[in-house]
Amino acid sequence: MRVGKLPARKARILALRYLGAGVVTLLFLFPVYWLFMISFKTPDEIYHVPPLWIPGQIQFSNYYVLFKDGDVLAILNSLIVAGASSGIAIVLGTLCAYSLARFGTGGENLAMWIISQRMIPPIAVVFPIFLIYVYFGLVDGYFGLILIYTAFNLPYVIWMMRGYIVDVPLELEESALVDGLNRWEVIWKIVFPMVRAGLMATSVFTFVFAWNDFLFALVLTRTEVITFPVMLTHYFGGQSNFWGKIAAMSVLGTLPIFVAVSVMQRYLVRGISLGAVKG
Amino acid sequence: MTLSASLNGAEQRRPSRLGRMLEDRLPYLIVAPAILILLLVGLFPLIYSLIVSFQRITMTENDTSFVGFLNYAELFRDARLWAALGHTAIITAIALPLELLIGFLMAQLFIDRMPGRQLFVALLVLPTVISPIVAGATWRLMFDIRFGPIGEILSFIAGEPVRILWTVNPAYVYPAIVICEVWQWSPFMFLLLLAALSNVDQSQLEAAEIDGASYLRVLRAIVLPAIAPVVAVACLIRGLDLVRIFDIIWALTEGGPGSRTETISLYTYVQGFSQFETSYTAAISFLVIALLTLITTLVLKRMELAR
Amino acid sequence: MKFRTILGAAAVLALAGASAPAADKDAADIAVDAAKKYAGTTISIVWEAGLQSLDPLNYSGPQWEKLTGIKVKVIEVPTDQMFTKIMQDFKSGAGAYDALNVIPSWMPDLARAGALEPLDKYVDKFGYRDELQDIAAAYRDNQMQYDGKIFGFPDDGDVMLLYYRKDIFEDPKVKEEFKAKFGYELAPPKDWKQFDEIGQFITDKMAPKVYGAGFFRTAPYPQYMFQERFRMEGGKFFNADTMKATVNGDVGLKVFKEMKAENKFMPPGVEQWNFVDNLAAFLQGTTAMTISWPPYGRWAAGYGSGEEALKWVPKSQVAGKVGYALTPLGRPELGVGFDLSVSATSKNKEAAYLFIQWLNSKKTSLERVQLPYTLRDPFRLSHYASEKYRGLWPDAPAYLDTIKTSGEKGLLDLSLLQQDKYDEAMTKAISSLWAGEDPKAILDRMAQQFDAITDKVGIDNQKAVYKVWAAKPGAYPQ
């Protein structure tokens, strides 16, 4: 669709779409904007009546303090833990999803059992898991957190990817098999690329789930591997509220995902597909 | 390709190369690592919890003798528990459809090419990425009657001062929670649906357009069936997550005023975390698991029947 | 009192023959000397996350390491997670914590569970009895022991003070107008009727620039104010014989109604205020009276305002204009507080103990309560009398004197088995009050909840604990 040569009707629709996009973005981003502004405000501006829409001046001292005090390490820790657990969950989970989708492995029972893992209230299992981790010396370490986040993301990945895989026409795989590829190659060379959009969408959220988890990070760590959410809660005191740090830390914390999504989102939308399906 | 059809197993082609043994075992091989991890971290804690729920372990007692269904019996007498379940049901029932609808509309808006779409999509994912704790705290500040902009905006629109105590007034607490929750998770639906919509068969759509089919017709006949599997799973996942909603409510109201916005996860948290009623918490958890399993099974069965 | 007998005996022993160090060296030095043999080890201490932990992170931890060679690992935990993490560490046998910060009202539960190490033998071994006497009686006699044994050292002089705007109260025109209207001198309110009158008067006159008063109204602190007012109006929490809750009688209703009515002359939205919202309002000069803990007083005076760590505190517009007084009816709630303890599962008990003795000692604690970013309030007689502290800002002497008197007249927080459950019931009741529910209904429900909790704990168990608590001079006004 080349913009310059659009007929009037299409141009009108496009303009409306931009308007809609603008309004939607404004609505959704307003709180983010507010938070962003707080990271620059002084306490007097934060508690100002009536509320201030723009801070007096843009000063980066809140961000500077985070770097100076080493709080930013929490973001690094979260990146490592969320990234690793996400990656592992995506790979293992999609493979598992393929098996469920194409072979019906384990039938409905297995599928149900997998999704039932997500029904377990974390509170119910956090203490027993803590006990196991104490026994195996996994507390306050990267491996322990990565393991638990992978485990908690697997059901999500498996179920989501099964849905996307099911959308891939069987004929594609069958013709590939006829062409002489074995199943393993079919998975990696045909199926994975076809569900790229689904992979991207799913991986964004496995990352986010691991990134934002608070309960396990709180219980399973002490001082060595403090993750982003735990660090944040340190700023909410009973008798203190480091709003500047909360906001600055939050802004910093959204940057990695913002970048990742910007990069990945071209796979999410129409325009780049592996050719028409039937032809 | 429907969910049930795939569940009943697709045909397998005999490969022309590689040992049949490996091929035969492949389905199990590729399922194994994931299942292993799930077992590791999912099985022992559950068994432990189950055992504990039949004991009497509290903050100060460590009575590991079997007390039968004592804890479970208490569940039924606990009015606060059932109130919490009710609150959870309300929030889920309101927020989930809203998120789905808004997410779908947003996806429709952005599915076709437009310059700058990249930026929009990336920006719109931000609400989901922000830690729920911070989201709740930010909205709390925004709802504040003196420091927050929401009151100002509403007053501007209404033309007269609007003074709502969002986190104190019982009439407005649920709207506040739902607004914050929907704000944060509609982008989730948006992204998922975007991916699903992008997989809809282009040629079918073009054919329909040539035939002159109306937008709604196209939607119903082509688009919705195609994205149904993903939508179903997204709703299931999001529904289950909504049942476990915690951070946003904790930051906004801490379950208040009184216990009015206390959901099941808040109640479980208070019991298990603050008050160390380990056994009772285990019993509550199994009740929740049982209820969720029941609901999910029913829902899945209905989805199957609809095909 | 049992403690005094022990003290007497120990004093005799000390005099009788200890070739002990006690005489020339103070407790801080003794601790340092004894700890040197643990040089090279690391001990961990659980501390409230955020502002509080700057003390061990920036000051006491490094100091201790310099003096003894022992490294201090500070485990920061948000307040509402502290109890849980301590319990979890204890119950799992992980033993990862050596020293602890413990809120006194948790002490019965923690001590009973066996999570805290009894400290008496260490106190005697390292000659700390004397300096313990210097701790203000309110904390020493009520926040140190459970069942006759020492489980923690009070380390924070938490008490509620009434802060008021001296400049408004001493303004001649205002005083004249007030006297004309009400017939008595404008002064910090002596009771809640006066509080209402003064509050309404100032709001009528000066709103919306200044309102009569403001309080924090959201969880978890307002329940302390309720505890105070309820008792001062004659209320008793329980019938001592039946252990039935008596919070929903006339007194409870009166207090609830008054609390709700006060919001009328407070800034709009006060029902949502937390500790920091209330602080911001007072520092900005919006409220003429408020009730809170000692940190308000320091920050209002601008003490520590240049500190990086206090950057989140709004600038005080009222420095030099703040007066300090006892809360209406003259017996303020102590409210929360902190103790230093040793974990029963620690692998370095003696080293941990020596650290807390040093922290809590006269010498070190004086330095610590003067740190500009501290949240630890003066709690020793020597703190109140300290020339150095009294010179920190012009009104510091008045500040310290008021804290001292408040402590002497202080009311103890209710402290029974499973106290946090009773606290929760009170907190939820108060939030229902702001939501507009009928006060009687709320109180009836609260009494019901109290009774349910007592039943679960065991009426006889609780009765015994309540008896001990109620017998203390600070439990009920005589």
Side-chain angles (χ1 to χ4, degrees):
Chain A
M1 191 166 55
R2 276 159 301 174
V3 182
K5 293 194 174 183
L6 284 179
R9 181 169 168 273
K10 289 238 159 141
R12 255 212 316 275
I13 293 185
L14 188 63
L16 275 173
R17 285 179 65 209
Y18 269 109
L19 187 65
V23 170
V24 165
T25 310
L26 204 73
L27 282 176
F28 273 92
L29 248 43
F30 180 68
V32 180
Y33 164 79
W34 198 256
L35 188 63
F36 192 53
M37 286 298 116
I38 292 180
S39 72
F40 297 125
K41 285 182 181 171
T42 65
D44 300 299
E45 291 172 333
I46 296 175
Y47 290 104
H48 195 270
V49 180
L52 283 177
W53 291 69
I54 304 186
Q57 54 170 124
I58 307 287
Q59 37 110 20
F60 287 90
S61 57
N62 288 320
Y63 292 94
Y64 173 67
V65 158
L66 292 179
F67 279 93
K68 185 167 73 86
D69 288 344
D71 289 359
V72 189
L73 279 175
I75 293 188
L76 186 65
N77 286 333
S78 276
L79 269 172
I80 296 173
V81 167
S85 65
S86 222
I88 301 174
I90 286 278
V91 171
L92 293 182
T94 310
L95 286 176
C96 186
Y98 182 82
S99 185
L100 290 184
R102 294 305 187 212
F103 305 130
T105 316
E108 265 192 76
N109 290 330
L110 184 62
M112 269 304 293
W113 177 75
I114 289 175
I115 197 64
S116 72
Q117 298 300 302
R118 210 172 170 91
M119 297 179 209
I120 302 175
I123 294 271
V125 293
V126 74
F127 191 56
I129 291 181
F130 178 60
L131 290 178
I132 302 179
Y133 274 39
V134 166
Y135 186 75
F136 286 108
L138 292 174
V139 181
D140 218 7
Y142 288 105
F143 182 70
L145 278 182
I146 295 176
L147 182 63
I148 193 89
Y149 290 149
T150 308
F152 270 83
N153 268 325
L154 275 172
Y156 172 70
V157 174
I158 294 171
W159 269 67
M160 289 307 303
M161 290 318 297
R162 189 171 73 151
Y164 290 116
I165 290 175
V166 148
D167 266 352
V168 174
L170 209 53
E171 296 80 42
L172 262 172
E173 294 180 49
E174 287 171 356
S175 55
L177 285 170
V178 163
D179 283 349
L181 269 58
N182 65 41
R183 187 66 73 167
W184 189 252
E185 286 170 326
V186 166
I187 296 178
W188 288 104
K189 294 189 180 155
I190 310 286
V191 179
F192 259 68
M194 280 299 290
V195 294
R196 195 161 43 182
L199 274 176
M200 297 306 171
T202 308
S203 58
V204 166
F205 293 110
T206 51
F207 188 85
V208 168
F209 292 142
W211 182 267
N212 281 335
D213 166 78
F214 172 69
L215 192 63
F216 286 97
L218 176 76
V219 175
L220 300 177
T221 65
R222 297 195 190 103
T223 54
E224 300 304 314
V225 184
I226 297 189
T227 59
F228 174 69
V230 176
M231 191 81 247
L232 270 178
T233 50
H234 287 187
Y235 303 149
F236 289 90
Q239 298 182 353
S240 52
N241 245 350
F242 298 135
W243 260 116
K245 283 204 212 180
I246 293 169
M249 193 65 162
S250 298
V251 169
L252 286 180
T254 60
L255 284 179
I257 306 199
F258 183 73
V259 166
V261 172
S262 311
V263 162
M264 287 196 307
Q265 63 88 40
R266 43 194 193 109
Y267 297 112
L268 286 169
V269 295
R270 219 175 297 176
I272 307 182
S273 57
L274 270 186
V277 168
K278 296 275 197 236
Chain B
M1 178 65 81
T2 63
L3 211 61
S4 63
S6 68
L7 273 176
N8 293 328
E11 327 93 73
Q12 278 197 30
R13 289 291 210 90
R14 289 281 178 261
S16 46
R17 291 198 267 163
L18 284 196
R20 280 177 54 178
M21 292 290 268
L22 201 61
E23 284 287 294
D24 280 350
R25 289 222 208 93
L26 188 71
Y28 302 101
L29 279 177
I30 60 180
V31 163
I35 304 297
L36 213 67
I37 294 184
L38 281 178
L39 277 174
L40 215 71
V41 173
L43 201 62
F44 170 74
L46 267 187
I47 295 180
Y48 177 93
S49 248
L50 191 63
I51 295 176
V52 160
S53 75
F54 290 112
Q55 298 172 335
R56 251 189 83 76
I57 300 192
T58 65
M59 182 174 355
T60 46
E61 290 170 49
N62 252 326
D63 182 1
T64 54
S65 62
F66 183 74
V67 294
F69 285 90
L70 191 75
N71 291 311
Y72 291 93
E74 202 173 321
L75 285 178
F76 290 97
R77 288 179 298 182
D78 190 349
R80 196 166 157 194
L81 171 69
W82 295 98
L85 284 172
H87 301 150
T88 313
I90 295 175
I91 293 180
T92 309
I94 300 179
L96 186 60
L98 272 177
E99 285 171 15
L100 187 60
L101 184 64
I102 295 178
F104 182 75
L105 291 174
M106 284 165 72
Q108 285 285 72
L109 193 59
F110 286 102
I111 188 64
D112 289 320
R113 259 213 189 126
M114 58 197 271
R117 179 178 56 184
Q118 220 157 321
L119 184 64
F120 279 114
V121 173
L123 282 176
L124 282 171
V125 176
L126 282 180
T128 315
V129 167
I130 294 183
S131 164
I133 307 168
V134 176
T138 310
W139 275 94
R140 187 152 194 274
L141 206 60
M142 293 200 333
F143 278 130
D144 190 285
I145 200 173
R146 293 174 77 224
F147 315 129
I150 303 275
E152 276 223 332
I153 298 174
L154 287 176
S155 302
F156 179 72
I157 297 176
E160 54 170 24
V162 170
R163 293 194 164 283
I164 303 178
L165 281 174
W166 291 89
T167 58
V168 171
N169 189 330
Y172 288 96
V173 206
Y174 274 97
I177 293 174
V178 170
I179 290 174
C180 183
E181 162 66 32
V182 167
W183 168 81
Q184 186 159 50
W185 288 97
S186 298
F188 171 78
M189 290 298 200
F190 163 55
L191 216 60
L192 259 50
L193 289 170
L194 202 58
L197 282 175
S198 72
N199 278 338
V200 170
D201 194 346
Q202 273 282 50
S203 55
Q204 274 196 309
L205 285 174
E206 280 161 15
E209 198 177 327
I210 292 173
D211 282 348
S214 77
Y215 176 70
L216 275 170
R217 187 102 207 289
V218 170
L219 204 65
R220 236 195 355 213
I222 302 178
V223 176
L224 286 182
I227 64 173
V230 175
V231 169
V233 178
C235 283
L236 185 62
I237 299 271
R238 195 65 216 126
L240 289 175
D241 281 352
L242 269 170
V243 169
R244 296 183 305 168
I245 190 175
F246 181 83
D247 295 312
I248 289 180
I249 303 189
W250 189 259
L252 275 174
T253 64
E254 280 191 44
S259 299
R260 249 170 260 250
T261 56
E262 192 172 67
T263 57
I264 189 64
S265 55
L266 257 91
Y267 182 57
T268 318
Y269 176 83
V270 167
Q271 288 288 343
F273 230 58
S274 312
Q275 295 175 356
F276 256 85
E277 291 282 339
T278 316
S279 283
Y280 191 57
T281 311
I284 297 178
S285 306
F286 278 101
L287 176 69
V288 172
I289 296 175
L291 281 173
L292 288 177
T293 313
L294 190 68
I295 297 175
T296 314
T297 317
L298 286 173
V299 168
L300 282 180
K301 281 257 170 349
R302 283 208 65 210
M303 272 171 23
E304 299 265 313
L305 288 172
R307 294 271 155 262
Chain C
M1 221 180 133
K2 213 171 169 200
F3 175 78
R4 297 206 195 282
T5 332
I6 301 175
L7 180 66
V12 167
L13 276 173
L15 286 173
S19 52
D24 302 309
K25 301 213 210 137
D26 61 32
D29 295 330
I30 297 174
V32 167
D33 284 342
K36 285 194 176 136
K37 68 172 183 275
Y38 295 105
T41 58
T42 305
I43 53 173
S44 64
I45 183 160
V46 174
W47 212 290
E48 191 188 15
L51 195 58
Q52 285 263 14
S53 18
L54 290 181
D55 174 341
L57 282 173
N58 295 354
Y59 176 76
S60 40
Q63 264 281 76
W64 181 248
E65 192 180 343
K66 205 164 67 147
L67 291 170
T68 64
I70 302 177
K71 285 180 92 70
V72 175
K73 193 159 88 154
V74 180
I75 303 183
E76 292 186 64
V77 183
T79 333
D80 53 356
Q81 315 291 346
M82 276 177 83
F83 181 80
T84 311
K85 283 213 99 167
I86 293 175
M87 264 309 208
Q88 280 180 339
D89 179 76
F90 169 67
K91 282 200 174 242
S92 68
Y97 304 150
D98 297 309
L100 305 169
N101 270 271
V102 167
I103 292 183
S105 63
W106 301 341
M107 214 183 265
D109 285 325
L110 285 176
R112 252 179 119 224
L116 300 179
E117 178 76 6
L119 300 177
D120 291 274
K121 63 178 187 283
Y122 296 105
V123 169
D124 291 323
K125 184 170 174 193
F126 298 107
Y128 196 41
R129 294 269 169 204
D130 273 355
E131 287 203 9
L132 282 179
Q133 278 299 86
D134 176 61
I135 297 179
Y139 313 108
R140 183 196 63 209
D141 297 340
N142 299 304
Q143 295 182 351
M144 200 161 73
Q145 298 175 300
Y146 173 74
D147 204 26
K149 299 198 260 285
I150 299 179
F151 281 103
F153 299 146
D155 199 53
D156 191 359
D158 268 344
V159 67
M160 297 286 201
L161 300 184
L162 172 70
Y163 298 98
Y164 66 97
R165 289 280 298 280
K166 259 190 335 183
D167 56 327
I168 297 178
F169 276 59
E170 286 166 12
D171 181 323
K173 283 227 340 266
V174 176
K175 285 175 75 132
E176 209 184 295
E177 247 184 82
F178 186 81
K179 181 108 189 258
K181 185 158 184 205
F182 290 102
Y184 61 92
E185 291 290 339
L186 179 60
K190 297 271 176 304
D191 57 39
W192 290 101
K193 179 157 172 292
Q194 289 189 354
F195 176 78
D196 281 345
E197 289 171 349
I198 298 174
Q200 189 68 59
F201 173 76
I202 294 182
T203 299
D204 289 337
K205 198 168 150 54
M206 301 172 76
K209 230 172 131 262
V210 183
Y211 290 81
F215 289 150
F216 37 69
R217 290 301 205 195
T218 52
Y221 299 136
Q223 55 110 347
Y224 292 114
M225 295 185 70
F226 171 72
Q227 286 194 33
E228 175 191 320
R229 293 169 75 159
F230 176 70
R231 283 180 283 178
M232 289 311 289
E233 300 278 5
K236 296 254 184 292
F237 291 112
F238 296 97
N239 175 317
D241 295 313
T242 63
M243 273 318 279
K244 278 250 169 292
T246 49
V247 290
N248 55 341
D250 293 331
V251 178
L253 195 57
K254 174 172 188 266
V255 173
F256 256 35
K257 284 191 175 155
E258 282 177 7
M259 283 170 70
K260 180 108 191 163
E262 286 157 9
N263 291 347
K264 202 164 29 92
F265 59 80
M266 296 190 187
V270 71
E271 297 93 334
Q272 289 178 317
W273 284 11
N274 58 25
F275 179 93
V276 178
D277 297 327
N278 187 34
L279 174 70
F282 188 68
L283 291 185
Q284 288 166 341
T286 316
T287 50
M289 293 188 282
T290 191
I291 292 178
S292 184
W293 287 280
Y296 273 41
R298 299 195 288 277
W299 297 336
Y303 182 63
S305 61
E307 275 293 313
E308 181 64 40
L310 290 181
K311 264 193 59 184
W312 57 275
V313 180
K315 266 220 173 337
S316 170
Q317 317 281 355
V318 298
K321 302 183 190 171
V322 177
Y324 319 102
L326 291 175
T327 56
L329 294 179
R331 295 204 62 179
E333 180 90 1
L334 290 184
V336 191
F338 260 118
D339 270 36
L340 292 170
S341 299
V342 172
S343 167
T345 51
S346 160
K347 304 187 179 71
N348 301 300
K349 288 186 193 169
E350 193 168 275
Y353 170 81
L354 290 168
F355 182 46
I356 67 173
Q357 172 168 318
W358 177 79
L359 281 171
N360 190 250
S361 68
K362 265 163 106 161
K363 191 160 73 175
T364 319
S365 66
L366 181 60
E367 295 308 308
R368 288 173 55 228
V369 296
Q370 289 181 76
L371 294 170
Y373 49 74
T374 189
L375 276 170
R376 294 287 148 110
D377 307 310
F379 60 95
R380 284 175 171 280
L381 299 174
S382 51
H383 294 169
Y384 305 138
S386 153
E387 285 306 317
K388 195 155 165 251
Y389 202 123
R390 294 175 86 84
L392 286 179
W393 71 92
D395 288 318
Y399 175 70
L400 285 170
D401 291 336
T402 312
I403 295 181
K404 179 161 181 248
T405 319
S406 298
E408 285 164 5
K409 296 211 181 298
L411 288 177
L412 307 178
D413 300 343
L414 182 62
S415 181
L416 305 173
L417 298 173
Q418 312 250 316
Q419 182 56 44
D420 51 308
K421 290 196 175 149
Y422 294 102
D423 286 345
E424 208 216 343
M426 282 190 277
T427 302
K428 294 240 174 274
I430 293 175
S431 68
S432 294
L433 184 63
W434 312 139
E437 226 184 295
D438 171 46
K440 185 81 175 83
I442 301 175
L443 285 168
D444 287 336
R445 191 171 60 222
M446 186 167 110
Q448 250 176 4
Q449 288 170 345
F450 269 37
D451 288 335
I453 300 168
T454 313
D455 277 335
K456 224 164 165 233
V457 172
I459 297 193
D460 292 322
N461 291 339
Q462 199 66 294
K463 195 168 158 178
V465 175
Y466 179 65
K467 193 150 174 268
V468 170
W469 177 84
K472 300 188 192 187
Y476 285 113
Q478 308 304 337

